[in-house]
Amino acid sequence: GAGVSQSPSNKVTEKGKDVELRCDPISGHTALYWYRQSLGQGLEFLIYFQGNSAPDKSGLPSDRFSAERTGGSVSTLTIQRTQQEDSAVYLCASSEDINSQYFGPGTRLLVL
Amino acid sequence: AQSVTQPDIHITVSEGASLELRCNYSYGATPYLFWYVQSPGQGLQLLLKYFSGDTLVQGIKGFEAEFKRSQSSFNLRKPSVHWSDAAEYFCAVGARGNKLVFGAGTILRVKS
């Protein structure tokens, strides 16, 4: 079946602009995760949605970052007033209940 | 707090030789352990996972890993490496259905 998809695959933006990154999880997966992969920090957890529960936002690095998940499926990660240090690969993953997380191909964000 | 250590940043092996990638974790309870592989420009692919039971787990592409509670280790092994195995490998620890904490990764180079 279809895996996790993310769009866009690449995004170049100017410092100070807002960006939206989209994730389509595997159909039927109740949990959705966002991670960030950067050269200096490795793979970092950002936010986690599980069903209708309040999301775990403990990994968001600042209040410029937010995410929502509509209808228990698609998720959008928004970065406001982007900074150069936001340049990274943003990875989305989904999972069924307690099972393994399956990752999408990522969105490569470059902030100039 | 959970943490994962992958002591080797780079490893080079000859094609056909055996491989062992090391992973040590710190976690207060019985861990859920994972190995992922990432090829250049790609997302993360799940190789194998350990939740409970048999401490030797088999994964895809001929990989296996052994959970050793006494050593807090979950080393990844392959008896005979192929050139296509060249990639970056990440060990991760997670709680039930929750965020993953990743190691820094080990880059595997395969020489012919």
Side-chain angles (χ1 to χ4, degrees):
Chain A
V4 177
S5 61
Q6 293 186 244
S7 60
S9 54
N10 293 280
K11 176 72 176 179
V12 181
T13 191
E14 294 178 348
K15 178 181 173 181
K17 295 287 181 68
D18 297 352
V19 295
E20 286 189 348
L21 313 180
R22 177 187 168 103
C23 172
D24 283 88
I26 294 172
S27 178
H29 281 193
T30 58
L32 186 148
Y33 312 77
W34 284 97
Y35 294 84
R36 179 170 69 174
Q37 186 175 27
S38 56
L39 279 176
Q41 302 299 320
L43 274 155
E44 306 172 280
F45 164 78
L46 295 177
I47 188 168
Y48 158 53
F49 296 89
Q50 173 61 60
N52 295 320
S53 303
D56 176 355
K57 304 180 182 180
S58 60
L60 294 179
S62 78
D63 59 8
R64 296 186 296 104
F65 287 73
S66 63
E68 62 178 20
R69 188 178 186 193
T70 55
S73 181
V74 171
S75 177
T76 302
L77 177 69
T78 301
I79 309 174
Q80 296 178 310
R81 304 180 303 282
T82 52
Q83 303 295 312
Q84 289 181 330
E85 61 263 28
D86 300 334
S87 296
V89 177
Y90 290 82
L91 293 165
C92 176
S94 69
S95 72
E96 297 176 276
D97 196 17
I98 66 169
N99 287 338
S100 318
Q101 296 178 30
Y102 294 91
F103 284 78
T107 293
R108 286 157 186 76
L109 175 65
L110 177 61
V111 182
L112 300 176
Chain B
Q2 304 165 45
S3 66
V4 177
T5 302
Q6 293 180 246
D8 304 305
I9 299 174
H10 297 97
I11 281 187
T12 300
V13 299
S14 297
E15 191 168 17
S18 63
L19 170 70
E20 182 170 29
L21 301 183
R22 295 183 290 164
C23 172
N24 291 94
Y25 67 89
S26 173
Y27 188 65
T30 300
Y32 288 31
L33 294 161
F34 306 84
W35 275 99
Y36 286 86
V37 61
Q38 185 177 38
S39 298
Q42 304 297 312
L44 297 167
Q45 182 181 23
L46 179 65
L47 283 177
L48 47 78
K49 59 192 177 187
Y50 171 79
F51 289 166
S52 64
D54 192 348
T55 57
L56 183 63
V57 294
Q58 303 296 321
I60 62 171
K61 304 184 179 185
F63 285 92
E64 67 178 27
E66 186 171 11
F67 170 58
K68 293 186 177 180
R69 184 186 300 276
S70 61
Q71 298 177 19
S72 298
S73 69
F74 188 57
N75 294 348
L76 181 71
R77 301 193 294 248
K78 186 169 184 178
S80 177
V81 169
H82 187 262
W83 65 266
S84 60
D85 293 324
E88 189 162 14
Y89 292 79
F90 293 92
C91 181
V93 63
R96 176 190 171 106
N98 210 324
K99 62 188 179 186
L100 295 176
V101 174
F102 287 88
T106 297
I107 296 172
L108 173 65
R109 297 177 178 141
V110 180
K111 59 182 181 181
S112 55

